[in-house]
Amino acid sequence: MHDDRRLIEGRLDRALRERIRPAIHRDPVPLDVAAWAAPDGPVPVTEGIGAPYRPVPMGQPWGAPWQTVWFRMEGRLPCAWHDEIVEAVVDLGFAMDRPGFSAEGLAYLPDGTPLKGLNPRNTWLRVPAGPDGRVAFHVEAAANPLIEGPVTPLGDPLTAGSEPLYRVVRAELARFDETVWQLVQDLEVLGQLAGVLQGLEGRRWAILRAIDSALDALDLQDVPGTAAAARTRLAGVLAQPANASAHRISAVGHAHIDSAWLWPARETIRKVARTTANVTALMDDHPGFVFAMSQAQQLAWLRDHRPEVYDRVKKKVASGQFVPVGGMWVESDANLPGGEAMARQFVHGKRFFLEEFGVETEEVWLPDSFGFSGALPQLIKLSGARWFLSTKLSWNQTNRFPHHTFRWQGIDGTRVFAHFPSVDNYNCDLSGEQVAHAVRNFADNGAATRSLVPFGWGDGGGGPTREILARAARLADLEGSPRVTIEKPADFFAAAEAEHPQAPVWVGELYLEIHRGTYTTQTKIKKLNRRVEHLLREAELWAATAAVRAGFDYPHAALDRLWKTLLLHQFHDILPGSSIRWVNREAVENLSGAAAELEALIGEALRALGGAADQTIVFNAAPHARDGVPALGGAAPAAAAEPVRVHERPGGGFVLDNSIVRVIVDHRGLIVSAVDLTTGREAIAPGSAAGLLQIHPDLPNEWDAWDIDPHYRNVVHDLTDLTTMTQAALDHDRASIRVERAYGRSSIVQTISLRAGDRAVRLDCEVDWHEREKLLKVAFPLDVHADRSAAETQYGHVYRATHTNTSWEAAKFEICAHRWIHVGEPGWGVAVVNDSTYGHDVTRPDGATTTVRLSLLRAPRFPDPETDQGPHRFACALVPGAGIDDAVREGYRINLPERRVAGAGPVTPLVSVDHEGVVIEAVKLADDGSGDLVVRLYEAHGTRTGARLRADLPVATVVETDLLERPLPGTVDHDDRQVAFTLHPFQIRTFRIQRAA
């Protein structure tokens, strides 16, 4: 029996490969091909079509890396074909096994009407013929190189060279045989189903015998003439209905398109155009086909660059076939963006879908992001969304996530209904193996009966194909298969939630047990991201304050554009650093430009606030008062605190003392003591040194830019040798020690500083980095017995174990934190704050010591061989005697330095709050141009809190809103410009204040 099965499967495979599939397109007639290479990248469609073309012989090389080449293809139908279906078949030299990762094209009629994309899974094209039978069309082709490791220069046009990459393999007209095509779909579905059936031997053999019989009926010398007879022999097994208990698959057309990755955003714009042209054309032929697309940015690009395709999309949205999902500007990374930036992903994404299509998206769609912060459920709910989807945790290296359908509870207690497609794939083609895996893998059998499957080729692969839709039709009700229904994501979620209302609860972050290196790779991008986030906070704050106080023209349009620039660069392959050199280079340029523009905008607003006088005003954009300056306001400089004292230490080194903290730097330039003088408590573990730079080898098993694997810890080199150590600065306010070191081809300068009146010991680090496949960390071994660490995340913090009792805890050997990490014992603790670092590890090397380390730099070579090379600047600070409140405060301070401006008198904050644990995160004017003041705040300490918000302006009304500044149910009472309110731990609230006339 087993041998018979193998014989039938082998017979089917060869017949399909050699005889049946080739018979779909018959009697080919060559097309005349001419080409024009655009000298400077993409051009408008009219320019490409009207360009001077030259004939191209078949097989002639074309396309230097990243070049755009326009092809003109012309031919004439034979007279006998006028009543037949005729298709052009075009192969530009595609990498057939890598749809979306090599050459691609978009076909146009001579008048500029877009037809469809051309790629490995879509080589066919139906082109209308003129009265004389002539056929003509143009193809805008992109010579995108196939980016493969371990090291390649192809990821940047500056290094990619000019040798052509491709040859046109096929360009011809052919008769399309519908019956043969349908036979191929029948045989593929049945053959794949027979290959995966388990425990249904009777059904398996019925299918195999039917296939064998169909092949008997098929004359391989005359496939077109006998295809109908072969199909008749398959009709019986195709008509057998699915079992009543069969799993239900909601199939959703999709094409996951990375907004940048192994190609720049320039190419993503065209990938989106090709894909949407494909799917809207497919919808014309398949009225039941539904396609879901996320990422408002991509549709905005389509609107601005390919309006003729965008018009088709809008019509299909109106008809219900094209479904916007996700509600975010891009599919962003979900660990690294700051809280307000993550909120603005929803604000700008949902608003685009509402304004362009009138659609309120309710599904948050992040199939490919690298783990998910526990702050997301609250943000999802506050944006007006209800559901969450991802597939990425199926990539876990250690632990299998226990649910596919569940309720996800965030750090504040908010719950959202979530689903992980059990197919473990967001580029599914509905093959027998994939749908069978979706059923076998489903973790919630017995309590739930349905899962969602996104189907279609992504990243420029063209999305769903007519072949995938044919599979879906045959699998709709077929014995041995789950029932497959094409439907909208919202229909799936509503049904799944109704079926399983008490789905299990997962609490806290969804930590991805892979791709931990993305917390560190491409440090320049991460530093600029952090800086631009805080500059946007300042720009909105000072512009709003100046608008109210001094009639400043609030820059709505500029801020909208700059937010969108930041949000784009928080895409999950840009901010994590997992893209090619071209993408990384442009990200640094674009974010640097945004930072410069924001600095100018802030300067204008502060000058408007300061007036014409020459008194020094210190402006403090942080949410806590410092040095006599109020939070969110300005004042004259405070009187000096007790000065910092410095003296040299016998045997080498220095002692710094400001009567709050005493710091000892030894002869190696390392911090061996940091005493909290208030309590007399030592922060540094006995016999250890803080600020210690450590180098590890860093060659992960796979995914160079993405991964840090645990074996990196097996080898470490401590940087204890120094080149020089000098006292760099000493005045009343600050003392600094400068330490220079060298390693390999790299140089490192650390500056250890203590300021008057400050308990933070600051370390500024300048690194000229020229290592390869190395990881640089800085260590703080602390005399603290802590079984958990607290790490800042968006709008709060998350606790993680410092031990490895379970595999779940052991897998978190590298963790993400934003501005601070805190470890403590009851009543006393230490914080480590930073201005640009995200990757950390916190361990217990012995029973009494807790070591906090920051990951500063990596040097992977794929996909960007120049990753992290060159100069870098970081700042971090050790804060002895810190509680969570101090960690929050110092984290903001190191990221929001004071600004000194010439002006007249103090600037009273527009708003203030009377509780240290309530952080005002955003102060801005309403996006609708009404002039209303919008204030977003949250509880930062993890405790239930009552507080009062005070507005220093005439108040007419106060309403609470969602993230999009839309009123929420209920009323907000205010009394004498004050609003009393409560917050539960980590709760976010947004108040909209209408100013009185």
Side-chain angles (χ1 to χ4, degrees), residues 35 56 59-65 67-71 91-94 103-105 140-144 163-169:
V56 175
Q60 178 175 308
W62 71 274
Q67 189 176 43
T68 296
V69 175
W70 281 81
F71 291 98
D91 182 352
L92 299 174
F94 302 127
E104 302 170 35
E140 180 197 29
N144 298 339
E163 287 298 313
L165 298 176
Y166 300 104
R167 298 173 189 268
V168 178
V169 175

PDB file of all heavy atoms in Angstrom, residues 35 56 59-65 67-71 91-94 103-105 140-144 163-169:
ATOM      1  N   ALA A  35      13.513  48.421 -24.557  1.00  0.00           N
ATOM      2  CA  ALA A  35      13.752  48.848 -23.173  1.00  0.00           C
ATOM      3  C   ALA A  35      14.357  50.232 -23.122  1.00  0.00           C
ATOM      4  O   ALA A  35      14.988  50.704 -24.078  1.00  0.00           O
ATOM      5  CB  ALA A  35      14.670  47.847 -22.467  1.00  0.00           C
ATOM      6  N   VAL A  56      15.474  44.993 -27.506  1.00  0.00           N
ATOM      7  CA  VAL A  56      16.235  44.142 -26.596  1.00  0.00           C
ATOM      8  C   VAL A  56      16.081  42.699 -27.056  1.00  0.00           C
ATOM      9  O   VAL A  56      14.970  42.155 -27.009  1.00  0.00           O
ATOM     10  CB  VAL A  56      15.732  44.284 -25.140  1.00  0.00           C
ATOM     11  CG1 VAL A  56      16.451  43.290 -24.233  1.00  0.00           C
ATOM     12  CG2 VAL A  56      15.925  45.706 -24.648  1.00  0.00           C
ATOM     13  N   GLY A  59      17.105  37.389 -23.677  1.00  0.00           N
ATOM     14  CA  GLY A  59      18.295  36.915 -22.983  1.00  0.00           C
ATOM     15  C   GLY A  59      19.352  37.967 -22.747  1.00  0.00           C
ATOM     16  O   GLY A  59      20.343  37.711 -22.062  1.00  0.00           O
ATOM     17  N   GLN A  60      19.148  39.178 -23.296  1.00  0.00           N
ATOM     18  CA  GLN A  60      20.144  40.231 -23.077  1.00  0.00           C
ATOM     19  C   GLN A  60      20.096  40.704 -21.625  1.00  0.00           C
ATOM     20  O   GLN A  60      19.019  40.927 -21.074  1.00  0.00           O
ATOM     21  CB  GLN A  60      19.877  41.407 -24.009  1.00  0.00           C
ATOM     22  CG  GLN A  60      20.857  42.576 -23.815  1.00  0.00           C
ATOM     23  CD  GLN A  60      20.650  43.666 -24.832  1.00  0.00           C
ATOM     24  OE1 GLN A  60      20.633  43.402 -26.034  1.00  0.00           O
ATOM     25  NE2 GLN A  60      20.461  44.900 -24.369  1.00  0.00           N
ATOM     26  N   PRO A  61      21.239  40.876 -20.981  1.00  0.00           N
ATOM     27  CA  PRO A  61      21.235  41.329 -19.574  1.00  0.00           C
ATOM     28  C   PRO A  61      20.597  42.711 -19.438  1.00  0.00           C
ATOM     29  O   PRO A  61      20.714  43.565 -20.320  1.00  0.00           O
ATOM     30  CB  PRO A  61      22.722  41.366 -19.212  1.00  0.00           C
ATOM     31  CG  PRO A  61      23.384  40.453 -20.188  1.00  0.00           C
ATOM     32  CD  PRO A  61      22.599  40.584 -21.459  1.00  0.00           C
ATOM     33  N   TRP A  62      19.939  42.904 -18.315  1.00  0.00           N
ATOM     34  CA  TRP A  62      19.352  44.211 -18.019  1.00  0.00           C
ATOM     35  C   TRP A  62      19.423  44.447 -16.514  1.00  0.00           C
ATOM     36  O   TRP A  62      19.505  43.513 -15.727  1.00  0.00           O
ATOM     37  CB  TRP A  62      17.893  44.296 -18.482  1.00  0.00           C
ATOM     38  CG  TRP A  62      16.927  43.465 -17.659  1.00  0.00           C
ATOM     39  CD1 TRP A  62      16.624  42.156 -17.837  1.00  0.00           C
ATOM     40  CD2 TRP A  62      16.173  43.902 -16.517  1.00  0.00           C
ATOM     41  NE1 TRP A  62      15.727  41.724 -16.903  1.00  0.00           N
ATOM     42  CE2 TRP A  62      15.424  42.781 -16.069  1.00  0.00           C
ATOM     43  CE3 TRP A  62      16.044  45.107 -15.834  1.00  0.00           C
ATOM     44  CZ2 TRP A  62      14.566  42.845 -14.962  1.00  0.00           C
ATOM     45  CZ3 TRP A  62      15.185  45.169 -14.741  1.00  0.00           C
ATOM     46  CH2 TRP A  62      14.467  44.054 -14.321  1.00  0.00           C
ATOM     47  N   GLY A  63      19.391  45.689 -16.113  1.00  0.00           N
ATOM     48  CA  GLY A  63      19.173  46.038 -14.727  1.00  0.00           C
ATOM     49  C   GLY A  63      20.378  45.953 -13.815  1.00  0.00           C
ATOM     50  O   GLY A  63      20.612  44.914 -13.183  1.00  0.00           O
ATOM     51  N   ALA A  64      21.136  47.051 -13.721  1.00  0.00           N
ATOM     52  CA  ALA A  64      22.115  47.142 -12.649  1.00  0.00           C
ATOM     53  C   ALA A  64      21.378  47.163 -11.314  1.00  0.00           C
ATOM     54  O   ALA A  64      20.183  47.476 -11.262  1.00  0.00           O
ATOM     55  CB  ALA A  64      22.948  48.414 -12.815  1.00  0.00           C
ATOM     56  N   PRO A  65      22.059  46.822 -10.215  1.00  0.00           N
ATOM     57  CA  PRO A  65      21.363  46.801  -8.926  1.00  0.00           C
ATOM     58  C   PRO A  65      20.622  48.100  -8.644  1.00  0.00           C
ATOM     59  O   PRO A  65      21.178  49.183  -8.764  1.00  0.00           O
ATOM     60  CB  PRO A  65      22.499  46.575  -7.920  1.00  0.00           C
ATOM     61  CG  PRO A  65      23.542  45.834  -8.698  1.00  0.00           C
ATOM     62  CD  PRO A  65      23.465  46.398 -10.083  1.00  0.00           C
ATOM     63  N   GLN A  67      18.378  49.548 -10.319  1.00  0.00           N
ATOM     64  CA  GLN A  67      18.014  50.355 -11.482  1.00  0.00           C
ATOM     65  C   GLN A  67      16.556  50.131 -11.865  1.00  0.00           C
ATOM     66  O   GLN A  67      15.998  49.057 -11.639  1.00  0.00           O
ATOM     67  CB  GLN A  67      18.918  49.991 -12.660  1.00  0.00           C
ATOM     68  CG  GLN A  67      18.774  50.919 -13.859  1.00  0.00           C
ATOM     69  CD  GLN A  67      19.768  50.562 -14.951  1.00  0.00           C
ATOM     70  OE1 GLN A  67      19.974  49.394 -15.252  1.00  0.00           O
ATOM     71  NE2 GLN A  67      20.398  51.572 -15.526  1.00  0.00           N
ATOM     72  N   THR A  68      15.941  51.156 -12.432  1.00  0.00           N
ATOM     73  CA  THR A  68      14.602  51.052 -13.007  1.00  0.00           C
ATOM     74  C   THR A  68      14.720  50.983 -14.519  1.00  0.00           C
ATOM     75  O   THR A  68      15.353  51.836 -15.135  1.00  0.00           O
ATOM     76  CB  THR A  68      13.738  52.262 -12.613  1.00  0.00           C
ATOM     77  OG1 THR A  68      13.550  52.261 -11.205  1.00  0.00           O
ATOM     78  CG2 THR A  68      12.379  52.192 -13.298  1.00  0.00           C
ATOM     79  N   VAL A  69      14.132  49.947 -15.112  1.00  0.00           N
ATOM     80  CA  VAL A  69      14.137  49.772 -16.563  1.00  0.00           C
ATOM     81  C   VAL A  69      12.692  49.637 -17.030  1.00  0.00           C
ATOM     82  O   VAL A  69      11.924  48.836 -16.482  1.00  0.00           O
ATOM     83  CB  VAL A  69      14.958  48.533 -16.981  1.00  0.00           C
ATOM     84  CG1 VAL A  69      14.845  48.297 -18.483  1.00  0.00           C
ATOM     85  CG2 VAL A  69      16.422  48.695 -16.571  1.00  0.00           C
ATOM     86  N   TRP A  70      12.333  50.426 -18.011  1.00  0.00           N
ATOM     87  CA  TRP A  70      11.005  50.330 -18.629  1.00  0.00           C
ATOM     88  C   TRP A  70      11.101  49.460 -19.884  1.00  0.00           C
ATOM     89  O   TRP A  70      11.997  49.654 -20.716  1.00  0.00           O
ATOM     90  CB  TRP A  70      10.496  51.724 -19.002  1.00  0.00           C
ATOM     91  CG  TRP A  70       9.954  52.479 -17.835  1.00  0.00           C
ATOM     92  CD1 TRP A  70      10.661  53.165 -16.899  1.00  0.00           C
ATOM     93  CD2 TRP A  70       8.577  52.612 -17.478  1.00  0.00           C
ATOM     94  NE1 TRP A  70       9.821  53.723 -15.964  1.00  0.00           N
ATOM     95  CE2 TRP A  70       8.528  53.408 -16.303  1.00  0.00           C
ATOM     96  CE3 TRP A  70       7.380  52.156 -18.028  1.00  0.00           C
ATOM     97  CZ2 TRP A  70       7.329  53.739 -15.675  1.00  0.00           C
ATOM     98  CZ3 TRP A  70       6.185  52.500 -17.409  1.00  0.00           C
ATOM     99  CH2 TRP A  70       6.154  53.274 -16.249  1.00  0.00           C
ATOM    100  N   PHE A  71      10.173  48.502 -19.997  1.00  0.00           N
ATOM    101  CA  PHE A  71      10.091  47.653 -21.177  1.00  0.00           C
ATOM    102  C   PHE A  71       8.811  47.977 -21.947  1.00  0.00           C
ATOM    103  O   PHE A  71       7.755  48.193 -21.340  1.00  0.00           O
ATOM    104  CB  PHE A  71      10.064  46.171 -20.779  1.00  0.00           C
ATOM    105  CG  PHE A  71      11.361  45.668 -20.218  1.00  0.00           C
ATOM    106  CD1 PHE A  71      11.548  45.577 -18.846  1.00  0.00           C
ATOM    107  CD2 PHE A  71      12.394  45.278 -21.055  1.00  0.00           C
ATOM    108  CE1 PHE A  71      12.739  45.112 -18.319  1.00  0.00           C
ATOM    109  CE2 PHE A  71      13.586  44.805 -20.543  1.00  0.00           C
ATOM    110  CZ  PHE A  71      13.772  44.724 -19.168  1.00  0.00           C
ATOM    111  N   ASP A  91       8.480  36.714 -18.020  1.00  0.00           N
ATOM    112  CA  ASP A  91       9.435  36.379 -16.965  1.00  0.00           C
ATOM    113  C   ASP A  91      10.653  37.270 -17.159  1.00  0.00           C
ATOM    114  O   ASP A  91      11.420  37.112 -18.107  1.00  0.00           O
ATOM    115  CB  ASP A  91       9.831  34.899 -17.040  1.00  0.00           C
ATOM    116  CG  ASP A  91      10.800  34.496 -15.931  1.00  0.00           C
ATOM    117  OD1 ASP A  91      11.289  35.389 -15.206  1.00  0.00           O
ATOM    118  OD2 ASP A  91      11.088  33.285 -15.805  1.00  0.00           O
ATOM    119  N   LEU A  92      10.820  38.226 -16.261  1.00  0.00           N
ATOM    120  CA  LEU A  92      11.910  39.191 -16.357  1.00  0.00           C
ATOM    121  C   LEU A  92      13.231  38.642 -15.831  1.00  0.00           C
ATOM    122  O   LEU A  92      14.223  39.378 -15.774  1.00  0.00           O
ATOM    123  CB  LEU A  92      11.555  40.460 -15.579  1.00  0.00           C
ATOM    124  CG  LEU A  92      10.311  41.205 -16.051  1.00  0.00           C
ATOM    125  CD1 LEU A  92       9.996  42.362 -15.101  1.00  0.00           C
ATOM    126  CD2 LEU A  92      10.489  41.723 -17.465  1.00  0.00           C
ATOM    127  N   GLY A  93      13.226  37.361 -15.456  1.00  0.00           N
ATOM    128  CA  GLY A  93      14.406  36.771 -14.830  1.00  0.00           C
ATOM    129  C   GLY A  93      14.213  36.600 -13.346  1.00  0.00           C
ATOM    130  O   GLY A  93      15.158  36.642 -12.559  1.00  0.00           O
ATOM    131  N   PHE A  94      12.939  36.417 -12.960  1.00  0.00           N
ATOM    132  CA  PHE A  94      12.580  36.335 -11.545  1.00  0.00           C
ATOM    133  C   PHE A  94      13.316  35.196 -10.838  1.00  0.00           C
ATOM    134  O   PHE A  94      13.566  34.137 -11.427  1.00  0.00           O
ATOM    135  CB  PHE A  94      11.077  36.079 -11.399  1.00  0.00           C
ATOM    136  CG  PHE A  94      10.204  37.110 -12.046  1.00  0.00           C
ATOM    137  CD1 PHE A  94       9.217  36.735 -12.942  1.00  0.00           C
ATOM    138  CD2 PHE A  94      10.366  38.459 -11.760  1.00  0.00           C
ATOM    139  CE1 PHE A  94       8.399  37.681 -13.537  1.00  0.00           C
ATOM    140  CE2 PHE A  94       9.550  39.412 -12.355  1.00  0.00           C
ATOM    141  CZ  PHE A  94       8.569  39.016 -13.248  1.00  0.00           C
ATOM    142  N   ALA A 103      13.703  40.820  -8.863  1.00  0.00           N
ATOM    143  CA  ALA A 103      13.088  41.739  -9.822  1.00  0.00           C
ATOM    144  C   ALA A 103      11.563  41.691  -9.723  1.00  0.00           C
ATOM    145  O   ALA A 103      10.979  40.653  -9.424  1.00  0.00           O
ATOM    146  CB  ALA A 103      13.531  41.373 -11.235  1.00  0.00           C
ATOM    147  N   GLU A 104      10.939  42.834  -9.983  1.00  0.00           N
ATOM    148  CA  GLU A 104       9.476  42.944 -10.003  1.00  0.00           C
ATOM    149  C   GLU A 104       9.096  43.934 -11.091  1.00  0.00           C
ATOM    150  O   GLU A 104       9.911  44.750 -11.524  1.00  0.00           O
ATOM    151  CB  GLU A 104       8.932  43.443  -8.663  1.00  0.00           C
ATOM    152  CG  GLU A 104       9.294  42.583  -7.465  1.00  0.00           C
ATOM    153  CD  GLU A 104       8.937  43.262  -6.152  1.00  0.00           C
ATOM    154  OE1 GLU A 104       7.917  43.969  -6.099  1.00  0.00           O
ATOM    155  OE2 GLU A 104       9.698  43.102  -5.186  1.00  0.00           O
ATOM    156  N   GLY A 105       7.841  43.873 -11.525  1.00  0.00           N
ATOM    157  CA  GLY A 105       7.380  44.820 -12.525  1.00  0.00           C
ATOM    158  C   GLY A 105       5.921  45.166 -12.349  1.00  0.00           C
ATOM    159  O   GLY A 105       5.152  44.398 -11.753  1.00  0.00           O
ATOM    160  N   GLU A 140       7.094  48.693 -15.982  1.00  0.00           N
ATOM    161  CA  GLU A 140       8.091  49.375 -15.157  1.00  0.00           C
ATOM    162  C   GLU A 140       8.749  48.311 -14.279  1.00  0.00           C
ATOM    163  O   GLU A 140       8.124  47.768 -13.372  1.00  0.00           O
ATOM    164  CB  GLU A 140       7.436  50.446 -14.281  1.00  0.00           C
ATOM    165  CG  GLU A 140       8.429  51.178 -13.394  1.00  0.00           C
ATOM    166  CD  GLU A 140       7.752  51.928 -12.252  1.00  0.00           C
ATOM    167  OE1 GLU A 140       6.669  51.492 -11.801  1.00  0.00           O
ATOM    168  OE2 GLU A 140       8.317  52.938 -11.793  1.00  0.00           O
ATOM    169  N   ALA A 141      10.007  47.996 -14.562  1.00  0.00           N
ATOM    170  CA  ALA A 141      10.693  46.900 -13.883  1.00  0.00           C
ATOM    171  C   ALA A 141      11.739  47.437 -12.915  1.00  0.00           C
ATOM    172  O   ALA A 141      12.469  48.385 -13.235  1.00  0.00           O
ATOM    173  CB  ALA A 141      11.362  45.973 -14.902  1.00  0.00           C
ATOM    174  N   ALA A 142      11.796  46.828 -11.765  1.00  0.00           N
ATOM    175  CA  ALA A 142      12.770  47.191 -10.733  1.00  0.00           C
ATOM    176  C   ALA A 142      13.806  46.086 -10.620  1.00  0.00           C
ATOM    177  O   ALA A 142      13.465  44.933 -10.354  1.00  0.00           O
ATOM    178  CB  ALA A 142      12.067  47.394  -9.396  1.00  0.00           C
ATOM    179  N   ALA A 143      15.062  46.442 -10.817  1.00  0.00           N
ATOM    180  CA  ALA A 143      16.152  45.465 -10.712  1.00  0.00           C
ATOM    181  C   ALA A 143      16.624  45.378  -9.264  1.00  0.00           C
ATOM    182  O   ALA A 143      17.790  45.621  -8.940  1.00  0.00           O
ATOM    183  CB  ALA A 143      17.296  45.848 -11.641  1.00  0.00           C
ATOM    184  N   ASN A 144      15.698  45.035  -8.392  1.00  0.00           N
ATOM    185  CA  ASN A 144      16.052  44.914  -6.980  1.00  0.00           C
ATOM    186  C   ASN A 144      16.917  43.674  -6.778  1.00  0.00           C
ATOM    187  O   ASN A 144      16.519  42.575  -7.172  1.00  0.00           O
ATOM    188  CB  ASN A 144      14.805  44.809  -6.120  1.00  0.00           C
ATOM    189  CG  ASN A 144      13.938  46.042  -6.220  1.00  0.00           C
ATOM    190  OD1 ASN A 144      14.416  47.111  -6.608  1.00  0.00           O
ATOM    191  ND2 ASN A 144      12.674  45.915  -5.873  1.00  0.00           N
ATOM    192  N   GLU A 163      26.989  46.012 -12.647  1.00  0.00           N
ATOM    193  CA  GLU A 163      26.781  44.860 -13.506  1.00  0.00           C
ATOM    194  C   GLU A 163      25.305  44.476 -13.540  1.00  0.00           C
ATOM    195  O   GLU A 163      24.660  44.375 -12.481  1.00  0.00           O
ATOM    196  CB  GLU A 163      27.604  43.670 -13.016  1.00  0.00           C
ATOM    197  CG  GLU A 163      29.094  43.809 -13.276  1.00  0.00           C
ATOM    198  CD  GLU A 163      29.413  43.896 -14.762  1.00  0.00           C
ATOM    199  OE1 GLU A 163      28.883  43.071 -15.531  1.00  0.00           O
ATOM    200  OE2 GLU A 163      30.176  44.820 -15.145  1.00  0.00           O
ATOM    201  N   PRO A 164      24.737  44.234 -14.740  1.00  0.00           N
ATOM    202  CA  PRO A 164      23.330  43.832 -14.813  1.00  0.00           C
ATOM    203  C   PRO A 164      23.092  42.529 -14.059  1.00  0.00           C
ATOM    204  O   PRO A 164      23.933  41.627 -14.037  1.00  0.00           O
ATOM    205  CB  PRO A 164      23.088  43.661 -16.314  1.00  0.00           C
ATOM    206  CG  PRO A 164      24.162  44.469 -16.971  1.00  0.00           C
ATOM    207  CD  PRO A 164      25.341  44.389 -16.077  1.00  0.00           C
ATOM    208  N   LEU A 165      21.900  42.428 -13.452  1.00  0.00           N
ATOM    209  CA  LEU A 165      21.561  41.286 -12.615  1.00  0.00           C
ATOM    210  C   LEU A 165      20.649  40.276 -13.307  1.00  0.00           C
ATOM    211  O   LEU A 165      20.598  39.115 -12.907  1.00  0.00           O
ATOM    212  CB  LEU A 165      20.864  41.766 -11.335  1.00  0.00           C
ATOM    213  CG  LEU A 165      21.663  42.679 -10.406  1.00  0.00           C
ATOM    214  CD1 LEU A 165      20.769  43.131  -9.249  1.00  0.00           C
ATOM    215  CD2 LEU A 165      22.883  41.965  -9.865  1.00  0.00           C
ATOM    216  N   TYR A 166      19.892  40.697 -14.318  1.00  0.00           N
ATOM    217  CA  TYR A 166      18.799  39.872 -14.830  1.00  0.00           C
ATOM    218  C   TYR A 166      18.842  39.749 -16.356  1.00  0.00           C
ATOM    219  O   TYR A 166      19.503  40.530 -17.043  1.00  0.00           O
ATOM    220  CB  TYR A 166      17.455  40.452 -14.392  1.00  0.00           C
ATOM    221  CG  TYR A 166      17.312  40.523 -12.891  1.00  0.00           C
ATOM    222  CD1 TYR A 166      17.440  41.734 -12.207  1.00  0.00           C
ATOM    223  CD2 TYR A 166      17.069  39.367 -12.151  1.00  0.00           C
ATOM    224  CE1 TYR A 166      17.328  41.785 -10.828  1.00  0.00           C
ATOM    225  CE2 TYR A 166      16.962  39.419 -10.765  1.00  0.00           C
ATOM    226  CZ  TYR A 166      17.099  40.623 -10.114  1.00  0.00           C
ATOM    227  OH  TYR A 166      17.002  40.664  -8.749  1.00  0.00           O
ATOM    228  N   ARG A 167      18.102  38.757 -16.840  1.00  0.00           N
ATOM    229  CA  ARG A 167      17.857  38.583 -18.278  1.00  0.00           C
ATOM    230  C   ARG A 167      16.376  38.283 -18.465  1.00  0.00           C
ATOM    231  O   ARG A 167      15.795  37.541 -17.665  1.00  0.00           O
ATOM    232  CB  ARG A 167      18.677  37.415 -18.835  1.00  0.00           C
ATOM    233  CG  ARG A 167      20.176  37.580 -18.739  1.00  0.00           C
ATOM    234  CD  ARG A 167      20.893  36.295 -19.159  1.00  0.00           C
ATOM    235  NE  ARG A 167      22.320  36.382 -18.878  1.00  0.00           N
ATOM    236  CZ  ARG A 167      23.228  36.804 -19.743  1.00  0.00           C
ATOM    237  NH1 ARG A 167      22.824  37.189 -20.958  1.00  0.00           N
ATOM    238  NH2 ARG A 167      24.498  36.851 -19.430  1.00  0.00           N
ATOM    239  N   VAL A 168      15.780  38.850 -19.498  1.00  0.00           N
ATOM    240  CA  VAL A 168      14.395  38.528 -19.813  1.00  0.00           C
ATOM    241  C   VAL A 168      14.354  37.091 -20.340  1.00  0.00           C
ATOM    242  O   VAL A 168      14.976  36.770 -21.353  1.00  0.00           O
ATOM    243  CB  VAL A 168      13.799  39.493 -20.836  1.00  0.00           C
ATOM    244  CG1 VAL A 168      12.371  39.084 -21.182  1.00  0.00           C
ATOM    245  CG2 VAL A 168      13.831  40.918 -20.300  1.00  0.00           C
ATOM    246  N   VAL A 169      13.643  36.232 -19.632  1.00  0.00           N
ATOM    247  CA  VAL A 169      13.590  34.811 -19.969  1.00  0.00           C
ATOM    248  C   VAL A 169      12.428  34.503 -20.908  1.00  0.00           C
ATOM    249  O   VAL A 169      12.528  33.637 -21.785  1.00  0.00           O
ATOM    250  CB  VAL A 169      13.466  33.966 -18.681  1.00  0.00           C
ATOM    251  CG1 VAL A 169      13.287  32.483 -19.000  1.00  0.00           C
ATOM    252  CG2 VAL A 169      14.690  34.179 -17.796  1.00  0.00           C
TER     253      VAL A 169
END
